């Protein structure tokens, strides 16, 4: 307790003397470091909250990756983001966003369960040979009921990744997994609604939607529109054999 001594012989209100402690420079430096740590943790929590909130509002795969890349840029330096499906021990790219996205979107790479569970930090040789990417963090993504693939964060800098970056990515991985799963399902539903399941060709709904767009375009430009119709002989037998649900 602080040393408190009453001034002797004085009447009236009690007056005490307090001995003020002199704080050492080392203690002051430790306090500043502690405050800086608290501020950094608060900033990190705010960033994670913003990422999860923004991702929850997205149903487009492209929009999801765009939001994720922009929000993560300050916390995890990177140049590209790739979503992979895992097939027979291979990372098979499905969506790529950022630098060299065309190359990263077609290059498959081997990976083991141990590497994936620990967060891969070395770029697979096949990717390193064909791109400028030199470091990566790869984490597994879990959907609502099962693993849906993994997320790769790539950088052209060889030492861009560190354990803190892996920790942050693991913290948002559950939300990213659910969001990507929903976006993929939404895109599949949109595609199936305008595509014939048997042939993969545009269906009648797609035809009328495109026709409406082209009519509107012709009206806006005050132009003309031609429709070319082809009737295939003998196609009824093909349709009767393959085009009906059994």
């Amino acid at each position: 307790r602080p040393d408190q001594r009453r001034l002797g012989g004085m009447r009236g209100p009690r007056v005490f003397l307090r001995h003020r402690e002199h704080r050492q420079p080392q203690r002051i430096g430790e306090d500043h470091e502690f405050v800086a740590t608290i501020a950094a943790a608060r900033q990190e929590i705010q960033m994670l909250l913003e990422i999860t909130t923004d991702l929850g509002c997205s149903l487009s795969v492209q929009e999801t990756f765009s939001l994720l890349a922009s929000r993560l840029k300050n916390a995890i330096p990177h140049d590209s983001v790739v979503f992979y499906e895992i097939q027979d021990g291979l990372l098979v790219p499905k969506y790529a966003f950022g630098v060299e996205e065309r190359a990263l979107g077609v290059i498959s790479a081997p990976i083991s369960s141990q590497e994936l569970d620990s967060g891969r930090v070395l770029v697979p040789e096949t990717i390193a040979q064909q791109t400028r990417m030199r470091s990566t963090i790869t984490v597994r993504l879990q959907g609502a009921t099962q693993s849906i693939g993994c997320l790769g964060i790539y950088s052209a800098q060889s030492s861009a990744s560190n354990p803190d970056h892996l920790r942050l990515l693991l913290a948002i991985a559950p939300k990213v997994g659910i969001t990507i799963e929903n976006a993929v399902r939404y895109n599949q539903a949109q595609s199936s609604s305008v595509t014939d399941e048997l042939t993969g060709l545009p269906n009648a709904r797609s035809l009328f939607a495109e026709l409406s767009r082209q009519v509107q375009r012709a009206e806006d430009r005050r132009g003309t529109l031609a429709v070319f119709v082809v009737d295939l002989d003998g196609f009824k037998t093909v349709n009767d054999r393959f085009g009906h649900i059994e």
Side-chain angles (χ1 to χ4, degrees):
R1 296 178 60 185
D3 185 15
Q4 299 180 347
R5 292 180 298 178
R6 185 178 178 184
L7 293 179
M10 294 187 64
R11 295 183 179 180
R14 295 183 176 182
V15 180
F16 295 91
L17 293 180
R18 294 176 180 266
H19 291 291
R20 180 175 298 176
E21 296 180 358
H22 295 284
R23 306 184 68 180
Q24 301 298 324
Q26 181 180 358
R27 177 66 180 276
I28 295 176
E30 292 175 354
D31 288 349
H32 283 306
E33 183 178 353
F34 177 74
V35 172
T37 302
I38 295 297
R42 181 179 180 182
Q43 185 177 7
E44 180 179 306
I45 293 173
Q46 181 65 28
M47 180 203 66
L48 294 176
L49 178 62
E50 291 177 354
I51 291 176
T52 54
T53 301
D54 290 345
L55 290 179
C57 301
S58 174
L59 277 177
S60 164
V61 175
Q62 189 71 11
E63 182 182 356
T64 297
F65 279 114
S66 178
L67 284 172
L68 183 62
S70 62
R71 288 297 189 184
L72 285 179
K73 195 68 176 178
N74 294 331
I76 305 177
H78 68 275
D79 296 300
S80 303
V81 178
V82 184
F83 170 66
Y84 294 97
E85 287 185 354
I86 305 174
Q87 301 177 6
D88 300 326
L90 284 178
L91 297 176
V92 181
K94 291 301 178 181
Y95 303 98
F97 183 85
V99 177
E100 298 196 66
E101 60 185 39
R102 290 187 178 182
L104 291 170
V106 297
I107 304 174
S108 298
I111 191 170
S112 66
S113 297
Q114 292 81 3
E115 289 174 313
L116 191 54
D117 290 337
S118 62
R120 190 169 191 161
V121 295
L122 296 177
V123 175
E125 185 177 354
T126 52
I127 295 178
Q129 291 175 346
Q130 301 180 54
T131 71
R132 292 176 292 144
M133 300 300 112
R134 293 297 176 263
S135 65
T136 181
I137 305 176
T138 306
V139 297
R140 191 188 300 272
L141 295 180
Q142 187 73 20
T145 58
Q146 61 184 357
S147 175
I148 63 170
C150 64
L151 184 71
I153 305 293
Y154 288 91
S155 174
Q157 303 297 323
S158 58
S159 58
S161 304
N162 62 47
D164 284 339
H165 297 156
L166 175 60
R167 178 178 55 80
L168 287 173
L169 199 57
L170 288 173
I172 65 171
K175 182 63 176 182
V176 173
I178 295 293
T179 301
I180 292 179
E181 182 180 48
N182 291 339
V184 170
R185 287 180 177 177
Y186 179 74
N187 284 4
Q188 290 173 343
Q190 279 192 317
S191 176
S192 62
S193 68
V194 295
T195 304
D196 178 68
E197 184 178 355
L198 178 65
T199 63
L201 298 173
N203 58 18
R205 180 177 180 180
S206 176
L207 169 65
F208 288 116
E210 181 63 25
L211 186 60
S212 296
R213 285 193 292 269
Q214 294 301 329
V215 169
Q216 185 62 51
R217 181 183 180 187
E219 291 178 350
D220 293 341
R221 298 185 177 185
R222 297 183 180 181
T224 58
L225 176 67
V227 178
F228 188 64
V229 180
V230 177
D231 185 18
L232 301 179
D233 293 338
F235 190 74
K236 183 178 184 302
T237 57
V238 176
N239 192 48
D240 289 340
R241 181 177 179 183
F242 301 105
H244 299 285
I245 301 177
E246 296 181 359

